[in-house]
Amino acid sequence: MQNTMTMKMTMTTMGAAASRRAVSTPFAVRLSACLVATLFAALSVPNAAAQNLPITSGQRATAQQVAQAGVPLSELAPNAPDSHTVKRGDTLWAISGLFLKSPWRWPELWGMNLDDIKNPHRIYPGQMLYLEKKDGRARLRTARLSGDAGIETVRVSPRTRSQSLADEIIPTLKSQAIEPFLTEPIVVGETELNAAPRIVATQEGRVLLTRGDRAYARGPSDKQIAFGSNQQNDYRVFRNATPLKDPVSGEVLGYEAQYVGKAQVVRGESRTENTNKDGKKTIEVVPATIDIVGTKEEMRVGDRLLPEPPRQFTSYAPRAPAGAVDARVVSVYGSSVANAAQNQVVAINRGTKDGLESGHVLAILKAGAKLIDKTSETRDAMQLPDERNGLVMVFRTFERVSYALILDITEGVKVGDRLANPR
């Protein structure tokens, strides 16, 4: 916890230090910490501030280049505002989109602050950004210049309210847009799900299970479900491994398991040895006891259990892929509709094997129509060029498949639509 007055005084001191350096440093590099911190903000989770956020050598090189010259006016968004006050609800994507045509090109904005920030992390509401245009270049400041006047004077009044700084962090994207999908989608091999532990019985012969119900499960023949402080006790429950087929080649890239809920082991699986009336020894299986602790859909006998992975707080730095990407939409996740809309998730036919990473931004392309040139005597066949239909950001990758969030869209996205590097 930190007193709000202290936080304000710290921001003012940072601004003063930046302005004092302006006497001897080029204008392109005398900018404050706030914007670059925005561009490196993590997903809004309580301990996200403690993470080391990723900076690649290519991103740093871009920032260093821009630091020497600023950003061309042609790269600014058409309606870039003269100023913007950071507020609750702002995101990295939204703030970047205010000033640049391409929101994922955050290294260029970082370059506008590079001299002041060596290791950027976060930004808080209340800070002011000013856009300055000069000599065909654009730069950002946190204090409006008036000739060669010094820094702005800010009057600080004591306040007693205090709050957690982590609660004020400006996130990369709205957390609720991605969080439900971070652990739900899973792509498995053809036999992986079939070899996983399974629900084998319910209490009182119930057909469907929901939160609070108790059930029984068995592991594969070579591995029993164990219980204990050093054992895996938390599981996710899946069913129906649906094949994900490449819309171009028809090849099966993997199997998408349908997430239905969570279960917790309360008693491990065991074997007991009995002797029947003929004196023969028999082995009886005692399945593990599980409690259903969360449901997305009702569960049933036959559903499979996969270990609950440790929760990961991933930081997203939206950026264009370094290499060329030519991908296709494989499926729309968790939806029976033919066309996906904004904030829905799609699976694409490229993964870690193809160099895709979390944070990569791709353009959705709408295939150009095939027409006949009616103005020509020869009635030539024409193929109109593809046009950009929106943007997606990859947030979870597997070897040959990735999941991406639709950030913005003009028309619906459907299976088979093409994705490529954004321009």
Side-chain angles (χ1 to χ4, degrees), residues 199 201-203 205-216 237 239 260-264 290-301 303:
I199 298 175
T202 64
Q203 287 188 331
R206 293 178 182 172
V207 176
L208 299 175
L209 297 166
T210 188
R211 182 175 179 177
D213 287 342
R214 175 159 287 190
Y216 305 95
V237 185
R239 75 165 64 104
V260 292
K262 296 182 179 182
Q264 191 173 69
I290 62 172
D291 285 341
I292 308 303
V293 295
T295 54
K296 182 179 180 182
E297 296 183 17
E298 292 176 315
M299 304 175 196
R300 55 178 180 255
V301 170
D303 287 348

Side-chain angles (χ1 to χ4, degrees), residues 202-250:
T202 64
Q203 287 188 331
E204 301 174 353
R206 293 178 182 172
V207 176
L208 299 175
L209 297 166
T210 188
R211 182 175 179 177
D213 287 342
R214 175 159 287 190
Y216 305 95
R218 289 188 61 189
S221 57
D222 59 340
K223 188 175 182 180
Q224 298 179 12
I225 299 175
F227 172 76
S229 58
N230 297 323
Q231 303 294 335
Q232 175 71 47
N233 297 321
D234 297 315
Y235 287 83
R236 289 182 290 165
V237 185
F238 294 89
R239 75 165 64 104
N240 299 341
T242 304
L244 295 174
K245 293 185 178 180
D246 190 309
V248 177
S249 66

Side-chain angles (χ1 to χ4, degrees), residues 55-65 106-108 110 319 322:
I55 306 172
T56 68
S57 58
Q59 292 158 2
R60 185 177 293 278
T62 299
Q64 290 170 339
Q65 180 181 2
W106 54 267
E108 297 183 21
W110 176 27
R319 62 200 184 278

Side-chain angles (χ1 to χ4, degrees), residues 130-381:
Y130 295 99
L131 179 65
E132 185 180 76
K133 303 173 186 178
K134 185 178 180 181
D135 300 328
R137 315 295 290 188
R139 298 173 179 86
L140 285 171
R141 299 182 61 86
T142 53
R144 188 188 299 276
L145 290 184
S146 178
D148 291 326
I151 63 169
E152 292 184 350
T153 300
V154 179
R155 185 178 299 278
V156 179
S157 301
R159 300 176 64 184
T160 58
R161 181 176 61 87
S162 62
Q163 60 193 44
S164 170
L165 289 178
D167 293 339
E168 293 293 302
I169 293 174
I170 299 300
T172 306
L173 296 167
K174 296 290 186 183
S175 60
Q176 60 267 30
I178 288 182
E179 220 166 30
F181 304 100
L182 292 179
T183 58
E184 284 189 14
I186 184 168
V187 176
V188 297
E190 184 173 3
T191 60
E192 184 178 350
L193 196 64
N194 291 332
R198 64 197 182 279
I199 298 175
V200 295
T202 64
Q203 287 188 331
E204 301 174 353
R206 293 178 182 172
V207 176
L208 299 175
L209 297 166
T210 188
R211 182 175 179 177
D213 287 342
R214 175 159 287 190
Y216 305 95
R218 289 188 61 189
S221 57
D222 59 340
K223 188 175 182 180
Q224 298 179 12
I225 299 175
F227 172 76
S229 58
N230 297 323
Q231 303 294 335
Q232 175 71 47
N233 297 321
D234 297 315
Y235 287 83
R236 289 182 290 165
V237 185
F238 294 89
R239 75 165 64 104
N240 299 341
T242 304
L244 295 174
K245 293 185 178 180
D246 190 309
V248 177
S249 66
E251 180 185 5
V252 175
L253 304 174
Y255 292 80
E256 181 182 80
Q258 178 187 353
Y259 172 83
V260 292
K262 296 182 179 182
Q264 191 173 69
V265 177
V266 295
R267 188 183 300 115
E269 185 179 357
S270 62
R271 303 283 191 275
T272 60
E273 185 177 285
N274 297 317
T275 303
N276 61 21
K277 61 182 181 180
D278 297 327
K280 293 183 179 180
K281 293 183 178 181
T282 60
I283 302 296
E284 287 187 348
V285 174
V286 180
T289 303
I290 62 172
D291 285 341
I292 308 303
V293 295
T295 54
K296 182 179 180 182
E297 296 183 17
E298 292 176 315
M299 304 175 196
R300 55 178 180 255
V301 170
D303 287 348
R304 299 286 176 164
L305 308 177
L306 291 173
E308 177 80 36
R311 188 174 183 184
Q312 297 180 352
F313 299 103
T314 305
S315 300
Y316 297 98
R319 62 200 184 278
V325 176
D326 185 5
R328 301 281 178 159
V329 174
V330 173
S331 70
V332 178
Y333 179 74
S335 177
S336 59
V337 298
N339 297 307
Q342 187 170 346
N343 289 334
Q344 285 190 273
V345 170
V346 294
I348 63 177
N349 65 342
R350 296 290 183 268
T352 54
K353 182 180 178 181
D354 308 290
L356 277 192
E357 301 173 359
S358 294
H360 276 170
V361 175
L362 300 173
I364 308 165
L365 301 180
K366 181 181 179 181
K370 294 183 178 181
L371 304 174
I372 298 296
D373 184 0
K374 297 180 180 179
T375 67
S376 169
E377 293 181 358
T378 56
R379 312 288 284 185
D380 298 324

